[in-house]
Amino acid sequence: SAWLDGLGRTPVPPAGGVAEAGSAAQLMTVHKAKGLEFPIVVIADAAHAGHRDTATVRLDTLLGVTVNLRDRENDRRPAGHRLAALRDAERNEAEDRRLLYVAATRAREKLLVSAHSKVLKGGGLSLAGWLKLLGQATGLDGVTIAGTPVEDQSLPLASDIGAVLYPWREEQPTVWRGGERGASAASPIS
């Protein structure tokens, strides 16, 4: 189609250096940002843990093809398939760490991380995805919250790292629509 032909003629900026967007924000994948720098980088939804791997058939360079012929009565899976699943999980975790490293090192001045978490019964935070990795590096995984948070509160981390816990609010955010002020139909801000 003409649209695809036009897309093929779109110039692609060279990798490396500092990405310039003037006063505009640039939204891109971590892979696309590799080699670029920005004054401010936002990692959104850092607590997203990905999908649960439930592959029935796996292809492993060492183990070959493995099939999950699970014994439903005893809830057992073949050892080869379990081993292949562990090897896949290790590779996925290593790739996750590499992607987080790339994402976090794109910021020249400030890195902002947005994520969700639950306060556990003992007051600790339930951390998942990249937030769990960042929590291990910053001490967020050792923070204890007293009671149920009702107001925004700064969390005690390293002196050069700021973290603020914003509790869940039931009210809808107020937004501007078509010049009129009103409640959003979107879900509540967390």
Side-chain angles (χ1 to χ4, degrees):
S1 77
W3 183 80
L4 285 174
D5 291 338
L7 189 60
R9 289 189 299 272
T10 303
V12 177
V18 177
E20 296 297 333
S23 61
Q26 292 187 43
L27 208 56
M28 61 182 63
T29 65
V30 175
H31 290 96
K32 198 81 159 164
K34 193 171 183 177
L36 301 175
E37 276 189 333
F38 304 89
I40 299 172
V41 170
V42 177
I43 297 177
D45 197 15
H48 178 72
H51 67 285
R52 190 168 159 236
D53 186 4
T54 58
T56 304
V57 178
R58 294 182 186 280
L59 179 59
D60 186 274
T61 56
L62 182 65
L63 302 170
V65 176
T66 66
V67 180
N68 185 8
L69 300 172
R70 192 172 109 195
D71 176 359
R72 295 194 186 277
E73 283 183 28
N74 300 315
D75 197 31
R76 293 184 184 158
R77 296 183 300 152
H81 189 75
R82 288 194 321 254
L83 183 56
L86 286 172
R87 288 172 46 88
D88 280 350
E90 286 175 356
R91 280 190 295 272
N92 290 340
E93 184 178 332
E95 176 65 8
D96 235 20
R97 288 180 182 275
R98 283 190 291 274
L99 286 173
L100 175 57
Y101 173 81
V102 170
T105 57
R106 299 307 90 202
R108 217 176 30 236
E109 299 167 23
K110 189 169 284 212
L111 174 65
L112 302 173
V113 179
S114 171
H116 64 277
S117 179
K118 292 182 181 176
V119 178
L120 302 172
K121 285 186 181 181
L125 296 173
S126 169
L127 308 177
W130 285 358
L131 183 61
K132 183 175 184 176
L133 296 173
L134 290 167
Q136 293 166 351
T138 62
L140 185 61
D141 60 347
V143 169
T144 303
I145 307 296
T148 303
V150 292
E151 293 187 15
D152 304 350
Q153 58 182 284
S154 292
L155 302 178
L157 299 178
S159 61
D160 60 339
I161 300 173
V164 179
L165 176 68
Y166 297 98
W168 175 263
R169 291 184 172 69
E170 292 296 327
E171 71 271 4
Q172 294 288 325
T174 301
V175 296
W176 290 92
R177 273 208 190 132
E180 294 183 25
R181 193 174 164 119
S184 169
S187 35
I189 293 178
S190 59

